[in-house]
Amino acid sequence: MLPGFDFFVSHSSQDYNKIQKLIQKLNKQKKNVYCDWINDTDYLKRKLVGTSTLEVIKKRIQQSKALIWVRSDASLRSNWVKYELNYAQILGKEIFYIDANEIDNEILKYFKHDEFWFEDEDFENIELFS
């Protein structure tokens, strides 16, 4: 049986420390969370990014009930985040967001995403491997 995740976490690797805290908080809420550098250390290597990386990411989004985008300056500039958001949207996944600065707050609040700045009909041609 394939694994299933409550959330796929779309983020910038520059927000590493915040992402660790977010995952800990979601796990305490009994949420099964997918994060590439935690769940797929055998398959995904940051220094060996290629088409197989993209296939793993797409599969994990398919296996997730929803996506949480961690909004930060770095993630707003990330082509990977833009790709992940577009891919989740075409699959009909619920998309939530949390501001990276809010992760440190005592109460974790994430919201239904309602701004579609990332929409790109040609998202499959976004440069991911530069």
Side-chain angles (χ1 to χ4, degrees), residues 9 18-26 70 103 108:
V9 178
K18 298 277 186 182
I19 302 307
Q20 286 183 310
K21 290 178 185 177
L22 173 64
I23 291 169
Q24 289 171 355
K25 288 182 174 191
L26 288 169
V70 179
I103 292 171
L108 183 64

Side-chain angles (χ1 to χ4, degrees), residues 3-116:
F5 303 98
D6 293 305
F7 295 112
F8 177 101
V9 178
S10 183
H11 65 285
S12 168
S13 59
Q14 294 177 27
D15 298 318
Y16 178 87
N17 291 329
K18 298 277 186 182
I19 302 307
Q20 286 183 310
K21 290 178 185 177
L22 173 64
I23 291 169
Q24 289 171 355
K25 288 182 174 191
L26 288 169
N27 287 161
K28 285 181 182 176
Q29 294 177 0
K30 306 287 188 227
K31 301 294 183 190
N32 186 12
V33 180
Y34 175 82
C35 179
D36 56 356
W37 45 267
I38 292 176
N39 297 87
D40 276 323
T41 56
D42 291 336
Y43 299 115
L44 303 178
K45 306 289 184 200
R46 293 251 180 232
K47 298 195 185 308
L48 299 174
V49 176
T51 55
S52 60
T53 306
L54 181 58
E55 292 308 311
V56 171
I57 293 297
K58 287 167 65 174
K59 185 57 141 180
R60 298 305 185 232
I61 293 172
Q62 292 168 20
Q63 294 170 329
S64 299
K65 294 176 188 169
L67 180 144
I68 290 183
W69 165 48
V70 179
R71 183 174 58 194
S72 69
D73 289 341
S75 72
L76 283 165
R77 293 187 304 267
S78 169
N79 284 349
W80 278 95
V81 167
K82 186 175 182 181
Y83 187 97
E84 293 164 356
L85 289 167
N86 275 279
Y87 190 69
Q89 183 176 345
I90 66 161
L91 292 177
K93 302 290 181 175
E94 279 192 288
I95 299 175
F96 298 91
Y97 74 92
I98 185 169
D99 189 280
N101 295 321
E102 296 294 317
I103 292 171
D104 290 329
N105 290 345
E106 190 66 32
I107 298 174
L108 183 64
K109 294 180 187 175
Y110 49 90
F111 304 93
K112 182 90 167 140
H113 188 62
D114 59 1
E115 296 176 21
F116 299 98

